[in-house]
């Protein structure tokens, strides 16, 4: 929060928090340089179909052939 307030970070787009939903009085709500998105991407009508198709048609074949997977999480970079 302090880095966003003092400009060390110019901005942030956030959708996952330790406490969800984000409490109404949390400082993020008052910062103009913070975009808060509801953590509900999986609630779209087509999400499960799209995620399953991606896995079955893209990453599963790559995994079985020993190829690099798409959309991997990079724990070193934090995403």
């Amino acid at each position: 929060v302090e880095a966003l307030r003092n400009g060390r970070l110019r901005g942030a787009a956030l959708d996952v928090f330790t406490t969800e939903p984000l409490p109404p009085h949390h400082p993020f709500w008052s910062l103009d340089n913070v975009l808060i998105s509801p953590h509900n991407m999986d609630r779209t009508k087509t999400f499960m179909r799209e995620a399953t198709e991606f896995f079955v048609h893209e990453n599963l074949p790559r995994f079985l052939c020993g190829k690099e997977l798409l959309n991997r999480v990079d724990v070193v970079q934090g995403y």
Side-chain angles (χ1 to χ4, degrees):
V1 173
E2 186 57 32
L4 290 160
R5 283 183 176 152
N6 68 25
R8 183 169 171 220
L9 289 176
R10 292 188 63 132
L14 308 168
D15 82 336
V16 178
F17 305 96
T18 302
T19 302
E20 290 194 10
L22 189 63
H25 293 63
H26 192 283
F28 284 151
W29 292 114
S30 64
L31 297 174
D32 291 334
N33 58 344
V34 173
L35 173 65
I36 298 172
S37 170
H39 187 191
N40 63 357
M41 191 267 197
D42 61 335
R43 293 191 180 131
T44 64
K45 291 180 180 181
T46 60
F47 173 77
M48 287 304 294
R49 179 183 53 78
E50 292 168 353
T52 302
E53 287 177 359
F54 177 79
F55 174 75
V56 170
H57 299 297
E58 294 290 340
N59 271 349
L60 181 58
R62 287 170 178 270
F63 176 77
L64 295 174
C65 293
K67 294 181 178 177
E68 184 175 346
L69 301 179
L70 300 176
N71 299 333
R72 292 185 56 173
V73 172
D74 186 328
V75 294
V76 174
Q77 294 192 27
Y79 61 89

